[in-house]
Amino acid sequence: MTVASTPATSGILGSGERRAPAARLGVAVVHDLVAAIVTGAVKPGEPLPPEGDLVSSFGVSRTVVRESVKRLEEKGLVTVSQGRGTVVTAPSEWNLLDRVVISTMIENDETLGILDELAQVRGDLESSMAAEAARRRTENDVEHLTAALQVQREALGDLDAFQQLDRRFHDVVMKTSGSRLAESIAHTLVQRASEYARFHGDPGPEGFALTLVEHQRVLDAVAAGDADDAAEAMREHIARSWERRRLPR
């Protein structure tokens, strides 16, 4: 099998002239193979090109190709079986929390569909944590959350500082919830997405001021111990924040 050379799949058919340490070459090969899979250049149920073809295409050794295929298998992107070779799995099998997988999906996501899904999942996770934070909060927790919002308010004119403190506010809510698994997943999603300019988008001149208003509503609900209102406030904030930042398709 061969894969057509297009802008989306050029990585899988390398120039054969790569010259770098094997470890770095392996990273590049994995990235290009992941890109070929997540963009549909090689579809679920289809085999990757034979090992010899990949060696020639990428200009690397068989060892590098084999190690790269192992990394794909660990990420749930392929299965290796006797007789069928290395076959791409269904998207439901992919480890979307894996750094390379989710980053490559975002990188190739021209319609912003993955970021739309991410906002939805993040809203579900963080709204449940906000509700739990409202149930568990102590006076000390409320003080920490109030302080986090105040520092963010003071940084309104500093874009980089404001965005950092925005995350800090969310972190305090999540830590107050005590939901370590949900917190870890939410952190991973945001960290991967934040590496791309399209995640930050263009919130508009009033975007940051609106964020402070929405954060205040979350804080008030958590302080009052109102789990339902805290969940609703957080869900609406994440949805509206993404709507403000989202670039046109």
Side-chain angles (χ1 to χ4, degrees):
M1 170 194 165
T2 58
V3 179
S5 182
T6 68
T9 65
S10 59
I12 199 170
L13 294 178
S15 65
E17 298 178 356
R18 301 189 183 208
R19 294 292 182 267
R24 283 195 326 197
L25 283 175
V27 170
V29 172
V30 169
H31 175 274
D32 288 353
L33 289 173
V34 170
I37 291 171
V38 303
T39 59
V42 188
K43 295 178 172 52
E46 292 182 349
L48 289 183
E51 184 179 282
D53 290 357
L54 292 176
V55 166
S56 299
S57 296
F58 286 111
V60 297
S61 68
R62 288 185 179 272
T63 299
V64 169
V65 167
R66 287 170 187 165
E67 287 300 317
S68 298
V69 170
K70 281 183 186 176
R71 299 291 84 80
L72 295 185
E73 193 173 19
E74 290 167 359
K75 298 173 192 303
L77 297 173
V78 300
T79 56
V80 182
S81 59
Q82 189 110 20
R84 292 196 67 202
T86 303
V87 178
V88 175
T89 59
S92 58
E93 301 295 319
W94 302 350
N95 178 7
L96 299 186
L97 292 181
D98 178 271
R99 176 173 192 146
V100 178
V101 176
I102 191 170
S103 295
T104 307
M105 291 180 78
I106 294 171
E107 178 184 322
N108 291 278
D109 180 25
E110 295 303 327
T111 67
L112 301 184
I114 295 300
L115 291 175
D116 287 339
E117 288 186 46
L118 188 148
Q120 176 67 51
V121 172
R122 183 186 174 197
D124 291 342
L125 286 170
E126 292 203 36
S127 65
S128 68
M129 284 187 278
E132 193 58 29
R135 296 186 190 101
R136 295 168 53 104
R137 91 277 183 261
T138 64
E139 187 176 329
N140 194 44
D141 293 326
V142 174
E143 287 176 1
H144 283 160
L145 197 54
T146 302
L149 181 55
Q150 180 56 34
V151 217
Q152 187 185 10
R153 186 174 283 114
E154 292 167 0
L156 188 55
D158 185 334
L159 174 60
D160 290 338
F162 188 90
Q163 289 178 333
Q164 259 187 332
L165 293 166
D166 186 307
R167 278 212 205 168
R168 180 180 168 190
F169 179 86
H170 285 261
D171 286 348
V172 176
V173 174
M174 290 190 282
K175 287 190 185 307
T176 303
S177 77
S179 306
R180 290 179 298 175
L181 180 57
E183 179 184 1
S184 176
I185 294 171
H187 269 152
T188 300
L189 292 173
V190 173
Q191 184 178 349
R192 301 294 178 256
S194 64
E195 295 170 2
Y196 295 87
R198 282 178 293 179
F199 173 76
H200 302 289
D202 181 12
E206 297 182 359
F208 299 127
L210 289 171
T211 289
L212 292 174
V213 172
E214 291 161 6
H215 279 187
Q216 184 66 58
R217 185 187 165 197
V218 173
L219 168 57
D220 291 344
V222 170
D226 190 331
D228 290 340
D229 195 33
E232 183 184 357
M234 182 62 82
R235 189 186 302 279
E236 287 187 1
H237 161 55
I238 290 174
R240 289 175 179 172
S241 176
W242 172 236
E243 286 172 7
R244 290 193 292 269
R245 302 193 318 272
R246 196 185 193 285
L247 298 171
R249 288 180 182 275

